[in-house]
């Protein structure tokens, strides 16, 4: 069953099970885009040919603007952060729901008079968290990650390059949230000897509520701004950007059999065992996650961070848990989302596809994963970056 609710007003975090973001239909949108392309060509900024590769940093809806302002920001190398956004999170064929996601529009609370404040206010936060062993860590990430990231970025304002600032802030945020859910890696206190067995059980149960020792969650976070997209990934959830009709992965899954991850696990004293698939100590099928106290230091909470500059070819962004990616390729996911966003899916299948919003695309991808036999929870977030034109002859 899919739960839906409206997104909160802009300016506050919207965190829920499923959310449909607003569409933006600009007046004179087509003419504005034509003028924008002419202006970009005149300035030598137009991008043609193959998509620009993502720059990787190794570290271990309700907005509208006038045609004139759209042209001005595009000429300056800026675009509106998003036209619409939507998300769907379903239990699928699992017995328990362990996924969570978060959407926080304009999540950076900054002083309007500070340098760069306007750019920071245009940053939107999107994330998918895939829990295992329970939902508590995924839910904690949903509530805390965007709050902690805003604090860490504020501490680094004006220090170093933007890329380094994002790398350090993301790494510090993941480490802080990991420390919060594991209780700073401190074991629960032992009961005094005079306690009865029942009292001891109650004490240990209460102490274990904070350090979720056998519970963890993957995390893929994307911050979408006017000039760049920043993605941080820890685990096997994934972010994929559709750029000029090409699927560009913005994260790489942390699987135990990935050569560099296997080397890291073994260097820390752990082992990767093929037990119904490659697993850390024969237990966990991802080599990085938040939480999982009992598997540290073999399982790391350090994210890999990717920064890409926005271009006029950027169409939409997909974040999803492995409930989607286990059965749907990057290319297929982008093809389905594109056909939904350009209206072709609704025109061909009016009985099953309601419209052409980002929420419709997220729902369609979720249904595709279900039809292909996904046996996991499925969470999908789609962020529409530009309005796609309908192409009747397209495949």
């Amino acid at each position: 069953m899919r739960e839906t609710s409206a997104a909160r007003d802009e300016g506050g975090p919207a965190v829920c099970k499923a959310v449909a973001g607003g569409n933006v239909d600009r007046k004179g949108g087509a003419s504005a885009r034509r003028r924008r392309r002419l202006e970009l060509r005149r300035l030598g900024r137009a991008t043609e040919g193959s998509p620009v590769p993502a720059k990787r940093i190794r570290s271990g809806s309700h907005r509208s603007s006038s045609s004139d302002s759209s042209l001005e920001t595009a000429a300056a190398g800026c675009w509106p952060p998003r036209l619409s956004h939507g998300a769907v999170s379903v239990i699928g064929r699992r017995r328990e729901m362990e996924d969570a996601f978060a959407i926080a529009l304009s999540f950076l609370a900054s002083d309007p008079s500070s340098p760069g404040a306007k750019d920071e206010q245009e940053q939107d936060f999107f994330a998918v968290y895939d829990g295992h062993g329970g939902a508590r860590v995924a839910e904690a990430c949903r509530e805390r990650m965007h709050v902690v990231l805003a604090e860490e970025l504020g501490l680094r304002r004006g220090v170093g390059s933007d890329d380094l600032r994002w790398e350090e802030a993301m790494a510090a945020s993941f480490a802080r949230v990991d420390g919060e859910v594991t209780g700073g890696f401190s074991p629960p206190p032992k009961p005094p000897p005079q306690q009865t067995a029942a009292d001891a059980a109650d004490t240990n149960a209460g102490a274990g509520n904070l350090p979720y020792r056998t519970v963890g969650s993957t995390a893929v976070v994307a911050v979408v701004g006017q000039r760049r997209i920043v993605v941080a990934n820890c685990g096997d959830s994934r972010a994929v950007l559709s750029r000029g009709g090409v699927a560009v992965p913005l994260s790489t899954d942390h699987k135990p059999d990935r050569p560099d991850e296997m080397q890291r696990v073994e260097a820390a004293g752990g082992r990767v065992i093929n037990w119904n698939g490659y697993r850390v100590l024969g237990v966990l099928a991802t080599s990085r996650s938040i939480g999982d106290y009992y598997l540290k230091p073999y399982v790391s909470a350090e994210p890999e961070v990717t920064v890409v500059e926005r271009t006029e070819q950027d169409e939409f962004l997909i974040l999803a848990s492995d409930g989607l990616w286990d059965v749907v390729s990057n290319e297929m996911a982008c093809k389905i989302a594109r056909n939904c966003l350009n209206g072709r899916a609704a025109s061909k299948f009016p009985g099953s596809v309601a419209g052409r919003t980002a929420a419709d695309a997220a729902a369609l991808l979720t249904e595709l994963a279900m039809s292909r036999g996904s046996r996991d929870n499925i969470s999908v977030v789609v962020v529409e970056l530009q309005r796609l034109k309908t192409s009747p002859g397209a495949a």
Side-chain angles (χ1 to χ4, degrees):
M1 179 182 297
R2 187 191 319 143
E3 302 175 24
T4 59
S5 63
R8 295 185 186 178
D9 293 337
E10 180 180 338
V15 181
C16 45
K17 284 292 182 186
V19 59
N23 284 324
V24 178
D25 287 313
R26 295 190 181 92
K27 297 180 179 179
S31 62
R33 285 192 292 271
R34 283 195 296 271
R35 283 190 290 163
R36 184 182 71 185
R37 287 195 292 269
L38 290 173
E39 184 68 14
L40 288 170
R41 290 192 182 98
R42 186 178 68 81
L43 294 174
R45 293 178 179 270
T47 58
E48 298 179 357
S50 59
V52 179
K55 175 170 56 178
R56 178 167 297 280
I57 300 176
R58 297 272 319 203
S59 65
S61 290
H62 307 285
R63 209 175 282 181
S64 62
S65 60
S66 67
S67 300
D68 291 340
S69 63
S70 298
L71 176 62
E72 180 180 347
T73 56
C78 301
W79 286 266
R82 44 149 178 83
L83 296 183
S84 73
H85 66 275
V88 173
S89 187
V90 299
I91 191 172
R93 293 180 172 85
R94 295 289 293 273
R95 292 184 177 182
E96 296 182 12
M97 182 60 176
E98 297 176 328
D99 280 8
F101 69 86
I103 297 172
L105 307 182
S106 301
F107 79 107
L108 293 178
S110 59
D111 180 3
S113 62
S114 66
K118 183 177 179 180
D119 288 343
E120 290 195 344
Q121 289 171 354
E122 296 299 314
Q123 306 272 2
D124 295 333
F125 177 99
F126 304 93
V128 168
Y129 307 108
D130 182 0
H132 46 263
R136 291 177 294 180
V137 171
E139 291 169 352
C141 290
R142 178 186 65 192
E143 300 297 329
R144 289 288 295 155
M145 186 66 78
H146 61 282
V147 177
V148 172
L149 179 58
E151 293 173 357
E152 292 294 336
L153 286 168
L155 293 174
R156 292 165 175 79
R157 184 176 292 122
V159 178
S161 66
D162 282 346
D163 289 355
L164 181 61
R165 180 188 178 214
W166 279 108
E167 175 190 3
E168 293 180 347
M170 285 291 192
S173 300
F174 277 59
R176 275 182 58 184
V177 175
D178 181 65
E180 290 176 4
V181 300
T182 57
F185 308 135
S186 59
K190 294 182 179 179
Q194 66 271 20
Q195 279 188 315
T196 66
D199 292 338
D202 291 340
T203 300
N204 285 332
N209 285 337
L210 180 60
Y212 307 140
R213 306 174 70 83
T214 60
V215 184
S217 176
T218 70
V220 59
V221 169
V223 176
V224 181
Q226 291 182 315
R227 298 178 182 274
R228 64 177 61 87
I229 299 171
V230 182
V231 170
N233 180 58
C234 178
D236 55 6
S237 295
R238 192 181 306 166
V240 178
L241 172 69
S242 178
R243 171 174 285 179
V246 177
V248 181
L250 298 187
S251 66
T252 304
D253 299 353
H254 294 122
K255 294 291 190 180
D257 58 339
R258 205 176 99 176
D260 57 338
E261 286 297 288
M262 182 180 291
Q263 182 180 5
R264 182 187 59 77
V265 171
E266 293 177 346
R271 291 183 61 191
V272 174
I273 301 173
N274 189 351
W275 183 270
N276 191 26
Y278 288 93
R279 300 172 182 270
V280 177
L281 300 187
V283 177
L284 190 62
T286 180
S287 57
R288 299 197 192 191
S289 70
I290 294 174
D292 290 308
Y293 170 82
Y294 72 113
L295 289 175
K296 295 189 181 300
Y298 321 124
V299 173
S300 171
E302 187 175 8
E304 286 184 314
V305 183
T306 301
V307 179
V308 292
E309 299 297 323
R310 292 278 302 269
T311 77
E312 68 172 2
Q313 292 183 314
D314 294 350
E315 299 167 337
F316 53 86
L317 177 69
I318 302 174
L319 305 179
S321 61
D322 63 346
L324 174 72
W325 304 119
D326 283 347
V327 294
V328 179
S329 67
N330 295 351
E331 292 73 19
M332 177 59 70
C334 287
K335 180 179 179 180
I336 296 298
R338 184 179 303 105
N339 284 338
C340 186
L341 291 171
N342 66 20
R344 292 190 71 245
S347 63
K348 280 194 169 185
F349 309 103
S352 56
V353 181
R356 54 178 296 181
T357 67
D360 294 319
L364 197 58
L365 288 171
T366 302
E367 292 168 5
L368 174 65
M370 289 284 290
S371 69
R372 289 195 164 197
S374 176
R375 305 189 65 83
D376 205 348
N377 303 145
I378 306 166
S379 295
V380 181
V381 176
V382 176
V383 184
E384 185 183 21
L385 302 176
Q386 69 168 273
R387 182 57 47 84
L388 300 180
K389 295 181 180 179
T390 303
S391 302

